[in-house]
Amino acid sequence: MEAAKLKELEKFINQCKANPSILSDPSLSFFRDYIESLGGKLPPSAYSPRGDYKEKSHVVEDLDEDMDDVENEDHSKVGAEEEEEPELIESDIDLDNSDVVEPDNDPPQQMGDPSMEVSEESRDASQEAKALAMEALSEGKLEEAIEQLTKAISLNPTSAIMYATRATVYIKMKKPNAAIRDANAALEINPDSAKGYKSRGMARAMLGQWEEAARDLHVASKLDYDEEINAILKKVEPNAHKIEEHRRKYERLCKEREDRKIERERQRRKVEAQAAYEKAKKQEKSSSSGAPGGMPGGFPGGMPGGFPGGMPGGFPGGMPGGMPGGFPGGMPGGMPGGFPGGMPGGMPGNIDYSKILNDPELMAAFKDPEVMAALQDVMKNPANLTKHQANPKVAPIIAKMMSKFAGPK
């Protein structure tokens, strides 16, 4: 070898001694393998610039996996904490309940038999009982009015007006539930009974059922408007509007809360997917860093310090016996001893690295991972040459390199 090239080689080795992390370059993996094949030991920094030594140490990989698990647990905890959103509690509504009364819990009043056939005499008798009820009502005798109206209903149970009239008396007695039962009976007989809707609306207002009361009173007003209905609506509608607005607000808050829950779930899945992707990417990177790789970018500049990135390791040991299939026989000029200066045996001086560096076909082949893997396989064990002879991509490159490394004939 030329003296200048030996000088460059010596300079490169001195740099490696001073900073072993230079050897962490993936393109120098073949050089590390060659040193190890001679029994040499390299520091961890020669395998990773950060000293991770992932190719040789499973402890670090396990630690990384543990840290990933901790991060995933943290993400889960954060997600769980975020999901613990307090339940919505409906606020109180400021309503005017000054006219609301305690509900009456008396047994249901006597009702008529709807299947009874009513004769003309019964109708007349029913009307007479109603007239007596109105007279008692005008005198403030509410219980007597109820008795007469109950008699009128039993005589003519098909009359909606009898039930509606008794309902109004129950309202005066502040018995809203009894009034609602009579109003319902009136509306079953006549669905268009204005007095039935009016009495039921008034009874519901007495119970604080503001929205239901407003609906009944509006229907009654459409069927038969009177000033009393309008006066009651002025008290009922403000409360009904407040309840409706409160419900809309509560439903909106519930929907927003549900939307936030859905968004949190979407973000949680996104974080999990990202974490899984990063972990897979990390594992892939870890696996690929330990596998024999090519020399991306070619040889030039691959070895800091000026060494032109040749193949300083050569093929360990000669390869006597020739190569079947037409390859040149033997490698009398091989590199059995490694590098001078600490690696006994020296390098024969008949190798011209410029032939490799200036050969476009070889330089292009060195960028092919398949070719580089085959070359490294042969360098580790020359006997493996036979298994690559059938590869049309690899065999010609090996033959060409052997011809350039061969000694003088």
Side-chain angles (χ1 to χ4, degrees):
M1 179 181 283
E2 297 177 8
K5 293 189 181 294
L6 287 174
K7 196 70 177 175
E8 290 178 350
L9 179 59
E10 181 181 5
K11 183 178 179 182
F12 167 69
I13 292 176
N14 288 335
Q15 285 184 339
C16 290
K17 289 179 179 180
N19 182 14
S21 65
I22 293 174
L23 296 174
S24 66
D25 191 317
S27 64
L28 295 178
S29 61
F30 74 94
F31 188 31
R32 295 195 303 267
D33 293 340
Y34 175 67
I35 294 174
E36 290 176 346
S37 70
L38 298 176
K41 293 185 177 180
L42 296 173
S45 60
Y47 297 92
S48 171
R50 299 167 298 178
D52 290 342
Y53 196 20
K54 289 183 180 177
E55 294 86 350
K56 302 297 179 181
S57 174
H58 299 290
V59 176
V60 175
E61 291 178 356
D62 293 341
L63 181 59
D64 287 343
E65 291 177 0
D66 291 342
M67 290 302 293
D68 289 339
D69 293 339
V70 170
E71 290 176 1
N72 291 337
E73 289 178 4
D74 290 342
H75 282 307
S76 299
K77 289 179 181 178
V78 170
E81 289 174 359
E82 289 179 350
E83 289 174 4
E84 292 177 2
E85 188 172 336
E87 292 291 335
L88 287 176
I89 300 176
E90 287 193 71
S91 59
D92 294 331
I93 310 173
D94 184 17
L95 301 174
D96 180 7
N97 293 318
S98 58
D99 293 330
V100 175
V101 301
E102 289 294 327
D104 52 305
N105 297 314
D106 299 333
Q109 63 271 32
Q110 180 183 340
M111 311 295 277
D113 181 5
S115 63
M116 183 181 111
E117 289 188 10
V118 181
S119 64
E120 287 298 326
E121 292 79 7
S122 295
R123 290 182 193 277
D124 293 340
S126 175
Q127 288 296 331
E128 289 176 5
K130 180 186 175 186
L132 293 173
M134 294 296 101
E135 184 178 345
L137 184 61
S138 65
E139 296 174 359
K141 299 176 182 179
L142 301 182
E143 289 290 349
E144 184 178 339
I146 290 294
E147 289 177 9
Q148 291 300 327
L149 286 168
T150 301
K151 182 179 178 181
I153 290 171
S154 64
L155 290 168
N156 184 11
T158 62
S159 173
I161 195 66
M162 296 298 179
Y163 283 106
T165 302
R166 190 171 69 170
T168 60
V169 178
Y170 279 126
I171 290 172
K172 291 181 180 296
M173 298 174 69
K174 298 189 183 302
K175 292 185 177 183
N177 283 327
I180 290 173
R181 286 191 290 267
D182 274 351
N184 287 338
L187 291 169
E188 284 180 11
I189 298 170
N190 179 15
D192 293 327
S193 171
K195 198 167 186 177
Y197 281 110
K198 177 182 175 181
S199 57
R200 191 172 69 177
M202 294 173 67
R204 284 176 166 174
M206 293 173 69
L207 291 172
Q209 300 172 3
W210 304 111
E211 290 181 290
E212 296 86 347
R215 283 196 294 268
D216 281 344
L217 293 169
H218 277 295
V219 174
S221 181
K222 289 179 181 179
L223 293 171
D224 185 14
Y225 176 82
D226 64 42
E227 290 297 330
E228 186 179 17
I229 294 175
N230 188 52
I232 298 171
L233 276 172
K234 287 182 179 179
K235 293 182 178 180
V236 170
E237 283 189 321
N239 285 343
H241 290 157
K242 287 180 182 179
I243 294 172
E244 183 179 3
E245 182 62 29
H246 174 80
R247 183 173 58 253
R248 269 193 282 221
K249 180 179 179 181
Y250 181 74
E251 289 174 351
R252 186 182 73 251
L253 291 175
C254 287
K255 184 179 184 305
E256 290 174 355
R257 186 173 184 272
E258 184 64 22
D259 290 344
R260 288 194 298 272
K261 182 179 179 181
I262 294 172
E263 178 61 20
R264 283 196 304 272
E265 179 64 16
R266 190 184 71 80
Q267 290 294 337
R268 183 185 66 78
R269 292 184 180 182
K270 181 179 178 182
V271 169
E272 287 179 354
Q274 182 66 23
Y277 170 76
E278 294 293 341
K279 186 174 182 179
K281 187 177 179 182
K282 190 174 184 180
Q283 289 175 345
E284 181 182 357
K285 184 177 180 182
S286 175
S287 300
S288 62
S289 64
M295 292 187 169
F299 278 7
M303 294 187 174
F307 190 64
M311 298 207 42
F315 290 89
M319 301 184 76
M323 290 172 31
F327 288 176
M331 292 185 67
M335 297 172 62
F339 286 92
M343 296 185 187
M347 293 176 65
N350 60 346
I351 299 176
D352 187 355
Y353 286 102
S354 64
K355 292 181 180 180
I356 296 176
L357 299 176
N358 294 326
D359 190 318
E361 183 183 1
L362 288 178
M363 294 305 292
F366 291 154
K367 297 179 181 180
D368 189 325
E370 182 182 355
V371 174
M372 288 307 302
L375 292 177
Q376 291 178 348
D377 186 36
V378 174
M379 282 192 287
K380 290 178 181 178
N381 185 2
N384 291 338
L385 180 62
T386 56
K387 69 180 183 182
H388 299 291
Q389 290 178 1
N391 190 327
K393 185 189 292 187
V394 176
I397 300 302
I398 293 179
K400 194 165 189 177
M401 287 189 63
M402 289 173 62
S403 66
K404 293 184 181 296
F405 278 112
K409 298 182 181 179

